[in-house]
């Protein structure tokens, strides 16, 4: 599956998208919300934007989980 992404028309940053595995939900880039400090959400799941966890092979995930 793919998800639809939205970007800021001024600066181009990724603002939000439909969740890939649950398309009825949105994922929001906390860094785009005024007054929000991303550091306060250290336990929130995140990924680097290049490699979606669903794209990784099971072997890669197993290796990461056993560190």
């Amino acid at each position: 599956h793919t998800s639809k992404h939205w970007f800021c028309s001024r600066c181009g940053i990724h603002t939000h998208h439909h969740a890939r595995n649950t398309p009825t939900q949105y994922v929001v880039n906390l860094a785009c919300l005024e007054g929000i400090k991303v550091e306060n959400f250290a336990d929130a799941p995140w990924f680097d934007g290049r490699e979606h966890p669903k794209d990784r092979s099971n072997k890669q995930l197993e290796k990461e989980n056993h560190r």
Side-chain angles (χ1 to χ4, degrees), residues 6-15 32:
W6 284 266
F7 299 88
C8 175
S9 61
R10 284 188 166 174
C11 70
I13 193 170
H14 165 256
T15 57
C32 293

Side-chain angles (χ1 to χ4, degrees), residues 14-40:
H14 165 256
T15 57
H16 64 288
H17 68 272
H18 276 141
R20 182 175 178 173
N21 53 349
T22 51
T24 57
Q25 296 179 351
Y26 287 88
V27 176
V28 176
N29 183 346
L30 292 178
C32 293
L33 300 176
E34 188 174 334
I36 297 291
K37 293 185 178 188
V38 178
E39 302 84 31
N40 293 340

